[in-house]
Amino acid sequence: LLLLLLCFAGAARFRRWRREAAAAEATADATAEPQQHRHHHAVIAPALVTELEAIVGAEHVSVEAEELQAHGEPQHSYHRCGRWPGAVVAPATTEEVSQIVRACAARGVAVVPYGGATSIEGQLLTVHGGVSIDFRRMNKVLRLSEADFDVTVQPGIGYLELNEYLKPKGLWFPLDPGPGASIGGMASCRCSGSTAVRYGTMRENVINLTVVMADGSIVKTQPRTKKSAAGYDLTRLMIGAEGTLGVITEATLKIYNIPAHKAAMRCTFTTVQDATKAVQEVMRRGIQIGRAELMDDVMIGILNTANETDYLPHATVLFEITGENPAELEASMEAVTGIVNAVGPTSLRSTTDAKESEHIWRERKEALWHCFAAYPEKTAFITDVIAPVSRLADLISVCKPELDASPLPAPICAHAGDGNFHTVIMIDPGNEAELHEAERLSAFMVARAHEMDGSCTGEHGIGTGKIKYLEREQGESGIRVMRSIKEALDPQGILNPGKILRPGPTLFSDKESSPPSGCL
């Protein structure tokens, strides 16, 4: 865990240094006029800053250029909009968030929630300036019920920190997106990660939410019960809304016993089709697995270089197998081994040793950082498409030749158990040709996913970057329903504007959609 966090911090510092150097001129401009960010022609006036300071304390409000830039140019997204927030405010309670939103609503000023800053589709961009609400102080566990297997937390706590709190009690919250992700952002983007094959996504693991609405009112979406049939499902409405319908200030989550017995298995295949066939057969048999991850030959080559290993450069599947007791675990391992051998692996390795298992999984968890190390002058354009599990092999098979033919490195990592795969396209963000090529590859993969009844995103969300794909996926009727919900709950359009739905009155266009004005 420490190594993972150090890798995360080091990569973040490096990218921030590059960004600050490139943005020197913009920083100077923002320093000269730090308040001149507008939303619907409403200037963030000194009076609003004074009101925010009265709500949370002057030490928790910033209009300094460095702070504004950090919140206007998120570290993990290549998307940019050329505009920073006019102020950054860090509340400590739901009531303070309510007062902040009420003050902004009175002036028509945009509000953008800011958590772990790991989202990559432009969810944190301050398209219309406004106020960035930073949840770094709202990072506490509020209540734990071991008997009910649930926990209530504030949105700023990271899932890694939550699991450190739960571990001594033999419990955990299993979802595992990128290191640094916070619970509020995870709910807002409807994230999942490698464990979704067993535990599902945030949609299945959030019991209720406390949400501040666009007028500052506070709503609890449902009671703390395992199920409810009372009225509209407000919890699921907010999950995946990316802060465009309300600001999440508390979340009650399902928690689980840490699996008593685990094993790791690493197997390689000559083709992606064989690799996914093995995963699908394991799932069809109902064998209890915690993870099923796939990496292609290009990613294995990068890992071999980084770790000085000599793994076969073949499609590789990592299984995590779990059991309630040693006998059950052994039976599951034998069953998975039989399935893999029937498909025909080029190599197979399994272990129940905790340290060896950790080593096997570390390779997958650190894959992104090894890409940065392999291409230190580039940044990552990360894609995210999903198809029905039965079509994953078809989707990768049709996309991989296009990726391999590209001049850009584009290794594949896939959550093979749920049909979701990512490519880590390494680009120079200042090179327009490389950016256009990455966009072309992304559009190609989305189009192929749509042809297979798939989606443009399995877990990263829409933000500004995938608005055009959402329009194609949902069609005019679907977008009209979404916009109707948005306009009903946020009539001024102040909640994270320019995300999910394009700004302005146009519901849908057959033309190629563009991001909000000024955004890339």
Side-chain angles (χ1 to χ4, degrees), residues 18 25 62 113 239 267 352 428:
R18 288 170 56 195
E25 182 178 351
S62 176
I239 295 172
C267 37
T352 58
D428 175 358

Side-chain angles (χ1 to χ4, degrees), residues 47 52 269 281 352 379 423 464:
L52 296 176
F269 302 86
E281 183 61 20
T352 58
T379 192
T423 56
T464 61

